[in-house]
Amino acid sequence: MDRRHVLKIGAATALLTGSPAVLAKRSDESADVVVVGSGGAGLTAAITAFDLGVKVIVLEKMPITGGNTQLSAGGMNAAETVIQKKKGVEDSWKTMYDDTMKGGKNINNPQLVEILAKNSAGSIDFLLSLGADVTDLGRMAGASVNRTHRPTGGEAVGHNLVHTLRQNAIKRGLDVRTGARVLKILSDKQGKVAGVEAEDRNGRKYKINAPVVILACGGFSANLERVTKYRPEYAGFSSTNQPGATGDGLDLAAALGAKLIDMEQIQIHPTQAAGSKILITEAVRGNGAIMVNREGKRFVDELTTRDAASAAVLKQTGKSAFLLFDQDIRKSLKQIEGYYHLELVKEGETPQELAKACGITDGGALAATIKKYNDYQAAKKDEEFGRADMPRPIKTAKFAAIEIRPGIHYTMGGVKIDTKTRALRAKDEQPIPGLYGAGEVTGGVHGANRLGGNSISETITFGRIAGAEAAAYAKAARKKV
């Protein structure tokens, strides 16, 4: 193997697992900005701050970078983008704002939602400039138009974005450390951030002196004890999240007196594959799939909001349902192939055969349901449930289905931030000097319910803002020294 190729692999591996040089260095250090977390928000913030000329260190407690962003499947919502314009899709930031507020039951912070919507097109431009593929368009539940941007052919967005962000971090020589847990955010006598106390994978503690800390370490959907503290009725549910999503950032912020909001707003996703932790992307429904119960009947608008769809599934026999599609829908979305590889899909040449394979009690009822839906699709009017977007009929054998049930997916609550992503104190809602937040660790953007596609949009947009604001703060702090 060519030695240069070995070095290139080594650089990529260092970003994923932490370089030996970094691990050996355990005396106190200094930086301008410390970013806690290396998902979409963290890497975006780090790249943005680095490009503005400050020294950045990224600390990730897990053995690999990527966080929940790595698992994201559906796509990234954005309005008035160059991709939409090329495809003739008419959209506006105001429509995206309205959809988001409606989906969140209007308890969202309107200022943050406006920032999300107005800056979404710029965030697509930012990703394109880094080399990401977000050129395919689809629609997720709760959206009025096709604004979900994803890789070519409808592939999962998360892997593409994390790969792009990692490569850009490597290219810049960013200091990204895995297996690095932040134990405490340090502050001075005036209450200003002064750095962090951290612990490496070998249990050695050290300090990084820095005037700025950006929390971008995600929510707490994988912390079932914390989830059930706020929502006891979710006891026994499984989580779709990576195991590091335990809410550490909330504790770090609260220890500095930060305000936490909307903590009881916890989202369950309607389409987790039954008997597994695999999330079936909302894009399957967006591309035309329907949901049926064990009696072979539809029971909900498949593109309603996640909370409504989950509640409807839980009312069905066995508290589960089946996501049903055909070969045309399969061909329209590359992600579906992965579900076949994972052996999650049942098939039949006819609806009756599919019903038998799935344990649906009435094959005739399933056949009638599919025919009725196809009639609605041809007429462009769903007379039963009012589904607005029905892009394809379901008529090309083999017919296929995946059994699904709701799972804990996202925590809408978190650290309260202002429009500059500054963390606010609980006692007076004034900014904590030097503490910023972006992504799922924060609250206020999504209200009572997050729309599919808005999480990636939030991480990139607010990650960019946090990175820029942190860099400006750090430069100002530099001048005062």
Side-chain angles (χ1 to χ4, degrees):
M1 182 182 289
D2 185 271
R3 185 171 181 272
R4 289 170 298 174
H5 188 52
V6 173
L7 291 173
K8 185 176 180 183
I9 292 173
T13 303
L15 184 68
L16 288 171
T17 61
S19 67
V22 169
L23 293 178
K25 194 177 177 185
R26 282 298 165 260
S27 57
D28 290 359
E29 304 175 60
S30 295
D32 293 310
V33 177
V34 173
V35 178
V36 185
S38 68
L43 291 179
T44 296
I47 289 168
T48 301
F50 180 89
D51 286 353
L52 289 170
V54 298
K55 181 181 178 181
V56 181
I57 296 175
V58 181
L59 302 179
E60 169 59 59
K61 72 174 183 180
M62 299 302 286
I64 62 170
T65 56
N68 269 347
T69 304
Q70 177 102 319
L71 303 179
S72 181
M76 172 179 167
N77 286 344
E80 302 181 31
T81 69
V82 292
I83 307 302
Q84 286 177 315
K85 290 170 185 175
K86 284 180 182 178
K87 296 180 181 290
V89 176
E90 293 186 10
D91 197 5
S92 71
W93 75 263
K94 185 61 167 60
T95 305
M96 181 174 171
Y97 170 92
D98 290 340
D99 287 345
T100 301
M101 291 298 298
K102 179 181 178 182
K105 303 187 189 306
N106 292 301
I107 71 166
N108 329 47
N109 181 324
Q111 290 179 305
L112 298 182
V113 176
E114 184 171 333
I115 287 170
L116 176 77
K118 279 187 173 179
N119 289 276
S120 60
S123 290
I124 289 291
D125 293 339
F126 168 78
L127 290 174
L128 291 171
S129 76
L130 296 183
D133 179 4
V134 282
T135 57
D136 189 87
L137 273 183
R139 186 183 306 197
M140 304 276 271
S144 299
V145 300
N146 289 359
R147 69 167 66 99
T148 305
H149 296 67
R150 58 200 186 191
T152 304
E155 288 190 349
V157 70
H159 173 75
N160 183 275
L161 290 192
V162 170
H163 174 75
T164 299
L165 292 168
R166 282 173 178 161
Q167 293 305 308
N168 276 272
I170 291 169
K171 184 171 70 174
R172 288 161 172 78
L174 262 172
D175 187 347
V176 180
R177 308 176 187 183
T178 57
R181 182 184 296 274
V182 175
L183 304 174
K184 183 180 181 180
I185 299 174
L186 306 174
S187 60
D188 63 18
K189 293 179 180 179
Q190 288 75 43
K192 296 179 181 179
V193 165
V196 300
E197 180 182 334
E199 182 179 68
D200 70 18
R201 69 185 68 208
N202 297 313
R204 291 176 292 182
K205 295 181 175 62
Y206 63 104
K207 293 180 182 179
I208 301 175
N209 300 308
V212 183
V213 170
I214 300 175
L215 291 174
C217 39
F220 60 95
S221 289
N223 186 336
L224 297 184
E225 181 179 351
R226 184 167 293 189
V227 166
T228 54
K229 170 186 173 182
Y230 295 106
R231 299 297 293 268
E233 68 270 30
Y234 292 165
F237 280 55
S238 61
S239 172
T240 66
N241 285 216
Q242 56 93 13
T246 53
D248 300 13
L250 304 176
D251 298 331
L252 293 171
L256 279 190
K259 184 171 185 175
L260 305 182
I261 60 169
D262 297 341
M263 294 297 289
E264 74 284 358
Q265 303 298 342
I266 299 171
Q267 182 177 77
I268 54 175
H269 195 292
T271 57
Q272 182 177 3
S276 81
K277 291 193 173 185
I278 305 300
L279 181 71
I280 308 302
T281 176
E282 208 161 273
V284 180
R285 284 175 282 148
N287 279 35
I290 62 174
M291 291 197 293
V292 299
N293 56 25
R294 294 185 182 280
E295 291 71 46
K297 298 179 180 179
R298 287 178 72 211
F299 53 89
V300 71
D301 168 10
E302 290 83 3
L303 294 184
T304 187
T305 54
R306 289 174 174 177
D307 57 337
S310 295
V313 172
L314 291 173
K315 291 179 181 177
Q316 306 310 307
T317 304
K319 295 185 177 181
S320 70
F322 297 89
L323 193 61
L324 190 150
F325 54 95
D326 69 353
Q327 295 308 298
D328 286 340
I329 295 172
R330 177 182 179 180
K331 291 175 184 176
S332 76
L333 191 70
K334 289 184 179 180
Q335 292 182 69
I336 293 176
E337 294 308 309
Y339 307 138
Y340 277 86
H341 291 311
L342 292 169
E343 299 183 348
L344 298 173
V345 184
K346 303 290 187 182
E347 287 188 311
E349 289 291 343
T350 65
Q352 289 83 356
E353 284 187 13
L354 178 63
K356 185 176 181 180
C358 292
I360 292 173
T361 58
D362 191 336
L366 181 63
T369 293
I370 294 172
K371 181 182 183 306
K372 188 183 293 185
Y373 176 80
N374 289 339
D375 289 343
Y376 295 154
Q377 194 275 337
K380 300 301 179 187
K381 184 178 181 181
D382 180 3
E383 294 183 3
E384 279 188 287
F385 301 104
R387 175 170 172 164
D389 187 51
M390 298 177 283
R392 295 172 181 83
I394 300 173
K395 58 185 180 183
T396 304
K398 298 180 175 180
F399 296 93
I402 301 171
E403 185 178 0
I404 52 91
R405 65 177 71 248
I408 300 164
H409 185 57
Y410 196 88
T411 51
M412 279 76 71
V415 179
K416 186 170 186 177
I417 58 171
D418 65 9
T419 56
K420 294 183 178 181
T421 72
R422 297 178 297 187
L424 303 180
R425 287 192 294 250
K427 65 180 182 180
D428 57 9
E429 297 203 6
Q430 292 301 303
I432 298 173
L435 185 61
Y436 295 79
E440 195 177 349
V441 73
T442 67
V445 176
H446 306 294
N449 178 67
R450 177 176 69 80
L451 297 187
N454 272 0
S455 177
I456 293 293
S457 194
E458 177 195 18
T459 60
I460 303 302
T461 289
F462 287 91
R464 291 170 62 214
I465 294 170
E469 292 290 336
Y473 183 96
K475 288 179 179 179
R478 235 191 245 164
K479 291 179 181 178
K480 293 177 182 179
V481 176

